[in-house]
Amino acid sequence: MNSPTPHEDLTQEFLALYKAADPFKQFVVRVLIKAGTSNDTAPLHKLIRLCPHHEDVKAAARLMIAAIEKELVSKKVQA
């Protein structure tokens, strides 16, 4: 039997943490993943509006927005 790769270990760890999280945090993770994979900041801006009192959620969304915008600028410069 092959031992799992570091990537597989991290995937299993992420899935275990995700399943243990409450439904709200699962929702936030799904929004972050969807936005990151589609390079779309609109769901993140909506998440910030929906969660005005969750500073950690807003901070994560803002970081993701900055990363997406940086990636989009980088792609535009390369084109």
Side-chain angles (χ1 to χ4, degrees):
M1 184 168 158
N2 295 340
S3 62
T5 66
H7 176 74
E8 291 169 333
D9 282 344
L10 288 174
T11 300
Q12 291 304 315
E13 183 179 346
F14 170 79
L15 290 173
L17 289 171
Y18 176 79
K19 289 176 183 175
D22 64 72
F24 173 74
K25 289 180 181 170
Q26 289 179 352
F27 167 75
V28 170
V29 169
R30 286 194 307 271
V31 171
L32 292 172
I33 290 171
K34 180 181 178 188
T37 57
S38 64
N39 282 337
D40 183 7
T41 60
L44 299 169
H45 289 288
K46 187 171 184 178
L47 184 63
I48 290 170
R49 284 193 311 275
L50 290 172
C51 306
H53 302 293
H54 294 272
E55 293 301 323
D56 54 340
V57 171
K58 292 191 308 187
R62 287 183 183 121
L63 283 172
M64 182 70 76
I65 289 167
I68 290 170
E69 289 175 347
K70 183 178 177 181
E71 178 69 21
L72 293 175
V73 166
S74 174
K75 285 182 180 181
K76 195 178 260 190
V77 169
Q78 291 175 356

